[in-house]
Amino acid sequence: MSSNKEKNREIINITLDETKSTVKRTTDEAIKEIPRYTKAVNEYQEETIQATKDIADNFLESQKEIIHSLQSLWIPYVENVQNSYWSYWTSPKRATENYARAVSNVTDSTIASTRLANNVLYASMEAWKTSVQHARDNAKEFSRLNANFAKTFENVAKDSLRDFSDREVQTHSRQ
């Protein structure tokens, strides 16, 4: 009976050790992937910033071409209406400056939005990291509690069995 008990314990230990080895192998493989994920996030951020810059540059270049193309028509028109409804747009130069400022503000806002989105991503990653740490600590504590419970259960069972055996011996000796 004792050899069966030892054999079962050995089989259980081997099975759990193999599972532990599998978990280690899986986590090691996941750790190896971290540089790839980090690179992907960095590339995403760089690509987003570069795309924002390219969009603004292309848009400004097209606006420059449009303004130059229409300038000969635009100047007399603006000069004719500058003292009426469009007093804020006093000249083609002023209109171009205002327009360029508006485009610059849109570009700045887009980059600021990207920065905010990245900050949210980082904050979420930090929150996730904290959650994982808590899960790790809690799992460790639950494992410790379960092991203590099993040991207590084992001791109580042994004590009960011993008490039962002692009562059986006393009962037989009285008869």
Side-chain angles (χ1 to χ4, degrees):
M1 171 117 174
S2 179
S3 68
N4 265 351
K5 188 176 181 182
E6 288 176 20
K7 196 180 240 183
N8 285 339
R9 183 176 286 186
E10 186 178 327
I11 290 171
I12 289 170
N13 285 342
I14 289 170
T15 302
L16 293 175
D17 286 344
E18 286 173 357
T19 302
K20 189 175 181 180
S21 177
T22 301
V23 168
K24 182 182 181 338
R25 189 171 43 256
T26 302
T27 55
D28 287 348
E29 288 172 11
I31 287 171
K32 288 178 186 175
E33 292 295 317
I34 290 174
R36 186 172 68 100
Y37 296 136
T38 302
K39 182 180 176 191
V41 169
N42 287 341
E43 287 174 355
Y44 160 76
Q45 291 173 327
E46 290 173 7
E47 187 175 313
T48 302
I49 292 169
Q50 186 60 44
T52 302
K53 179 186 176 294
D54 292 346
I55 289 168
D57 288 349
N58 290 334
F59 186 73
L60 289 171
E61 281 303 314
S62 70
Q63 295 307 299
K64 187 188 300 183
E65 290 177 23
I66 291 169
I67 290 170
H68 288 303
S69 297
L70 299 176
Q71 193 171 19
S72 62
L73 298 173
W74 190 21
I75 291 174
Y77 175 75
V78 171
E79 287 173 352
N80 287 334
V81 295
Q82 70 181 352
N83 292 325
S84 58
Y85 302 109
W86 299 92
S87 61
Y88 184 71
W89 298 80
T90 58
S91 71
K93 180 181 180 202
R94 179 73 175 174
T96 304
E97 288 171 353
N98 288 335
Y99 186 75
R101 200 169 323 138
V103 170
S104 179
N105 285 337
V106 169
T107 303
D108 290 345
S109 295
T110 302
I111 289 176
S113 296
T114 301
R115 189 176 300 120
L116 288 172
N118 287 337
N119 288 342
V120 168
L121 175 69
Y122 291 136
S124 297
M125 288 173 20
E126 283 299 314
W128 178 253
K129 181 179 172 184
T130 300
S131 295
V132 168
Q133 184 60 44
H134 286 301
R136 175 188 293 145
D137 294 344
N138 290 341
K140 190 175 184 179
E141 186 64 16
F142 280 128
S143 294
R144 187 187 66 75
L145 289 171
N146 284 335
N148 286 345
F149 174 77
K151 288 176 186 174
T152 301
F153 186 76
E154 177 187 22
N155 290 335
V156 167
K158 283 180 181 177
D159 289 347
S160 295
L161 186 60
R162 187 180 52 247
D163 290 346
F164 180 74
S165 295
D166 289 347
R167 274 187 258 147
E168 284 291 315
V169 168
Q170 288 175 359
T171 304
H172 289 310
S173 65
R174 287 184 195 162
Q175 291 175 349

